Amino acid sequence: MRVFKGLAIAMVSAWVMAAATPASAVSCAGAPSEVSQQMLAKVNAERKRAGLRPLAFDQKLARAAQGHACDMARRGYFSHNGAGGSTPKTRVKKVGYKTCLTAENISFGWRSVDQVMNDLMHSPKHRQNILRRNVGEIGIGFVPRTGNQGPWWVQVFAKPC
């Protein structure tokens, strides 16, 4: 039942975002360090519970994640496909990260790291990204709530080549 609730929330969020108008006064300065630190700690706690090594925070991946979060917020959409048809892998390469494996989680509307992680861990594909054995680094993007929209969250996972 929990998985269906998470999927329903994701579908409703995608529908709401598709109908939303772009937020004009979006703050895209980057995820505050306390948000990034909390998210990294939660991701690594889940990985530790699964017997996996922790992920290292990477600034290039954070730039890719933040860029995508900002683009979604500014243009009023919610998708892994970004402006100009970009994908998680192309966005990561664009910031100069040499990747052999890339994965991405996006979330919308949750107001805290705890809520985001609870939702992602109850979604099989998102959980799989968090618990991928072959990734070693993560970048985190966050755009706060603007008016009646957001916040937008992005986790980018990668294995450097």
Side-chain angles (χ1 to χ4, degrees):
M1 180 66 174
R2 190 93 172 131
V3 170
F4 292 115
K5 181 180 177 187
L7 291 175
I9 289 169
M11 290 183 341
V12 168
S13 294
W15 176 78
V16 167
M17 286 304 297
T21 57
S24 58
V26 172
S27 171
C28 290
S33 62
E34 63 271 6
V35 170
S36 294
Q37 290 170 3
Q38 287 174 15
M39 184 68 77
L40 179 62
K42 294 286 184 181
V43 166
N44 282 336
E46 293 295 345
R47 290 178 64 82
K48 183 176 182 178
R49 257 191 288 287
L52 300 170
R53 61 184 170 84
L55 299 179
F57 186 83
D58 182 83
Q59 288 296 332
K60 288 180 181 177
L61 294 178
R63 281 200 315 272
Q66 187 63 29
H68 188 53
C70 186
D71 189 56
M72 288 191 295
R74 284 193 172 146
R75 296 174 187 256
Y77 72 95
F78 183 72
S79 174
H80 292 286
N81 296 319
S86 71
T87 64
K89 190 171 188 171
T90 61
R91 290 188 292 272
V92 164
K93 286 183 173 185
K94 185 177 179 181
V95 298
Y97 188 96
K98 306 272 190 238
T99 182
C100 285
L101 174 66
T102 307
E104 178 181 75
N105 287 342
I106 59 175
S107 188
F108 172 77
W110 298 113
R111 306 240 180 150
S112 73
V113 170
D114 286 338
Q115 290 173 325
V116 171
M117 285 300 294
N118 185 54
D119 185 53
L120 294 174
M121 290 304 290
H122 284 94
S123 166
K125 289 185 179 183
H126 295 106
R127 178 185 181 90
Q128 180 183 6
N129 284 341
I130 292 167
L131 301 179
R132 276 187 191 274
R133 293 186 184 280
N134 297 338
V135 297
E137 297 177 329
I138 186 173
I140 296 158
F142 170 77
V143 175
R145 188 167 179 82
T146 302
N148 64 350
Q149 298 179 35
W152 293 261
W153 305 82
V154 179
Q155 299 171 330
V156 176
F157 306 89
K159 174 185 175 183
C161 291

